[in-house]
Amino acid sequence: MNAPASRTGTIAPLDVLRQYPAHDFTLTGFLAARVAAHPDKPALLFEGETWSYRELEGRIAQAARWLAQAMHVRRGDRVGVLSANHPSTVVLMFALARIGATMVPANPEYRLDEALYVFQHAQVCGLVCAPATLETGAAIARALGGAVWLRANEPGDHGVPTLEQSMAAATGQFAGESVDDGGERDTALIIYTSGTTGFPKGAMHSHRGYVLTAEAFVGRLQLQPDERVMCVMPLFHINALMYSVGGALACGGCLVLVRKFSASSFWRFAAETGATEVNLVAAAGSILARRPRAEFVPGHRITKMFIAPQTQEMVRVMKHEFHVPRLIECYGMTEIPGVIANPFDGPHKLGTMGLISPHPDPAVPAPQARIVDDEGNDVAPGGEGELLIRTPTLMQGYYRDPAQTEAAFRDGWFATGDLVRQDEDGYYVFVARKKDVIRRKGENVSGAELDRIFGEHPAVEEAAAIGVPAELGEEEILLAVQFRPGQTADAAELLAWARGRLAVHKLPRYIATVEAIPHTPTHKPAKHKLKGDRTLLARAVDLSAASQ
């Protein structure tokens, strides 16, 4: 598990990418270029097992043949994943891409209704589940009429065939058959993200968009060919899939894959594996900064972290106590990965999103940004407005949702729904969210979804969820509740009622009773008025102890 004792000198990002043969901007060609350059170099490390680039490519090829020939997965088909981080997710993504099919990963903490909505909407033909989520996967397969096949990604006492077993049984039958059919414009991933309508939207990303994002991350973090990228963020997020997995492979380094983030073992694991770079959300960085110092391992080799938003305390602890010299603050969305970040060599401006972050190759068009008012006019320098983006890594649209896709664009520019401004140096500064989305522990939570779910409680007349500041950065969820005349329920009862309907990260920390939910002229909850009520949080019930 130990990494090499020393690192090479710094190579410019474009020179890193030019170490590998030209490719066709498919995931297959992207990986093949790295395999051709160094087949025996470590590509992936997981729980003590290391796969070389040649071995990773071999598993992907085997999986692609099995999917195409045994499971009859065709170009344009979709396969769902419901699992904590596991190498099978990486293999499946590249194998499906080779066929021209699409991977649809979802949060393994989803309750049945949440997962069913995603996979039913995505029209998956198969599901790959961890042992812990097989019961949910089986229920989804039944609900979808039995046409959906189910496999486990690990053995256990579950009675469901595993991927390894299935592929091994089919190895001889389909050996040597070619299944390559994926093109650069084909959809490689559909990532479901919380929407303002209360239902998740599936952001589609092409092979080309994935590859460009991965290569751009080499520039954003100046990743080197001997990099060991530690992935603790979940593989149903763009950050983990494109920045960690894609970035590690783009520079020709090694992906150090971790099942899930653990603060208590973070530094020990980093030291044991020789990790050199890691991506974190603000909550994870804040937790690490507050953990007992006895857990810190001075021998780690992490020299850079990609993390946002940052606080002065987090930066101080990471740099001066944990000896991580570079912390890169950034901005991103599922729909527009790899657009804005603080420059690697500085200046770093704490609390800012950063500057436009281009691909290392000047031949690739750089992202563009505008800040506009409600009428779509560019605001004056220093003024606040909505951020609009154009970028080569832009999603292809929302799957099976032309109305939401159309609503997300203004004359070819993607409307982020975020209010920002530029400071005197041109750095973008986040001001507020225009959309009804709460950012909690690295997850987007739809306020409209919580309004709908809690509004279905028999005692509730109406509910409205808002984001309030969190101690660890980002936001916590506060739910304002208006009860029906003559009815009531305490906060603990409401929380217990919602547990079977919502993933843990969507459960509110605070619940406050109000006489009436304020409304806009169109009779939507006037959440800006709730946010402006300074007494609301003070009189809310804090359910943090009950929700652990």
Side-chain angles (χ1 to χ4, degrees), residues 128-429:
V128 176
C129 297
T133 63
L134 276 171
E135 184 176 343
T136 299
I140 291 170
R142 290 192 298 270
L144 297 183
V148 175
W149 52 262
L150 180 67
R151 291 294 185 277
N153 61 6
E154 291 186 280
D157 297 329
H158 42 66
V160 177
T162 67
L163 284 174
E164 290 288 341
Q165 291 168 341
S166 299
M167 290 190 294
T171 296
Q173 184 179 357
F174 305 119
E177 295 192 27
S178 175
V179 296
D180 291 6
D181 199 26
E184 64 173 306
R185 302 296 178 186
D186 286 332
T187 301
L189 286 168
I190 300 178
I191 307 292
Y192 277 78
T193 183
S194 291
T196 55
T197 61
F199 295 96
K201 300 176 294 186
M204 302 183 292
H205 283 280
S206 69
H207 288 236
R208 184 179 185 85
Y210 182 99
V211 172
L212 288 176
T213 301
E215 292 179 340
F217 196 69
V218 173
R220 293 173 95 179
L221 271 292
Q222 292 202 6
L223 299 182
Q224 299 297 292
D226 62 345
E227 209 77 58
R228 290 200 163 204
V229 178
M230 182 174 165
C231 179
V232 298
M233 293 186 68
L235 289 175
F236 54 85
H237 271 186
I238 286 293
N239 192 311
L241 287 167
M242 290 192 173
Y243 304 162
S244 295
V245 176
L249 299 178
C251 71
C254 179
L255 176 70
V256 179
L257 189 60
V258 185
R259 281 187 190 266
K260 62 188 303 184
F261 172 73
S262 169
S264 62
S265 61
F266 178 89
W267 294 112
R268 175 182 55 79
F269 188 84
E272 289 177 352
T273 58
T276 58
E277 191 275 339
V278 67
N279 304 337
L280 296 173
V281 294
S286 295
I287 289 170
L288 287 173
R290 299 180 183 191
R291 294 291 297 181
R293 296 303 187 259
E295 295 172 354
F296 177 66
V297 180
H300 78 83
R301 296 174 57 230
I302 294 177
T303 61
K304 44 202 172 187
M305 287 183 172
F306 193 61
I307 182 171
Q310 297 173 13
T311 64
Q312 289 184 344
E313 176 65 9
M314 182 195 304
V315 173
R316 183 193 67 78
V317 171
M318 290 296 179
K319 286 189 174 183
H320 300 294
E321 294 191 45
F322 296 159
H323 312 299
V324 179
R326 279 194 172 89
L327 279 73
I328 305 300
E329 199 165 7
C330 57
Y331 167 85
M333 293 180 65
T334 300
E335 294 89 340
I336 48 168
V339 171
I340 297 174
N342 270 257
F344 186 81
D345 288 324
H348 300 151
K349 300 193 72 172
L350 184 65
T352 72
M353 299 152 63
L355 302 170
I356 290 293
S357 181
H359 189 282
D361 189 344
V364 176
Q368 297 173 277
R370 293 173 60 202
I371 302 175
V372 302
D373 60 22
D374 289 340
E375 285 71 46
N377 301 313
D378 293 298
V379 302
E384 295 179 3
E386 184 176 6
L387 179 67
L388 307 185
I389 293 292
R390 274 181 177 166
T391 174
T393 63
L394 177 69
M395 69 166 182
Q396 298 168 299
Y398 295 118
Y399 182 66
R400 295 181 60 209
D401 203 338
Q404 287 292 327
T405 299
E406 183 178 0
F409 288 89
R410 298 184 190 173
D411 299 324
W413 292 79
F414 177 77
T416 66
D418 288 336
L419 300 177
V420 305
R421 62 178 174 83
Q422 279 184 290
D423 68 11
E424 63 280 4
D425 297 316
Y427 282 62
Y428 292 89
V429 180

Side-chain angles (χ1 to χ4, degrees), residues 1 31 38-57 59-60 85-94 227-229 231 235 244-246 248-249 252-259 269 273:
M1 293 177 67
L31 180 60
H38 43 59
D40 298 318
K41 192 176 178 183
L44 189 152
L45 170 63
F46 180 74
E47 296 186 348
E49 183 180 4
T50 301
W51 298 355
S52 69
Y53 274 82
R54 189 200 312 272
E55 290 168 333
L56 177 60
E57 157 68 20
R59 292 182 186 232
I60 290 167
N85 289 356
H86 191 269
S88 60
T89 304
V90 178
V91 170
L92 192 67
M93 178 177 69
F94 278 88
E227 209 77 58
R228 290 200 163 204
V229 178
C231 179
L235 289 175
S244 295
V245 176
L249 299 178
C254 179
L255 176 70
V256 179
L257 189 60
V258 185
R259 281 187 190 266
F269 188 84
T273 58

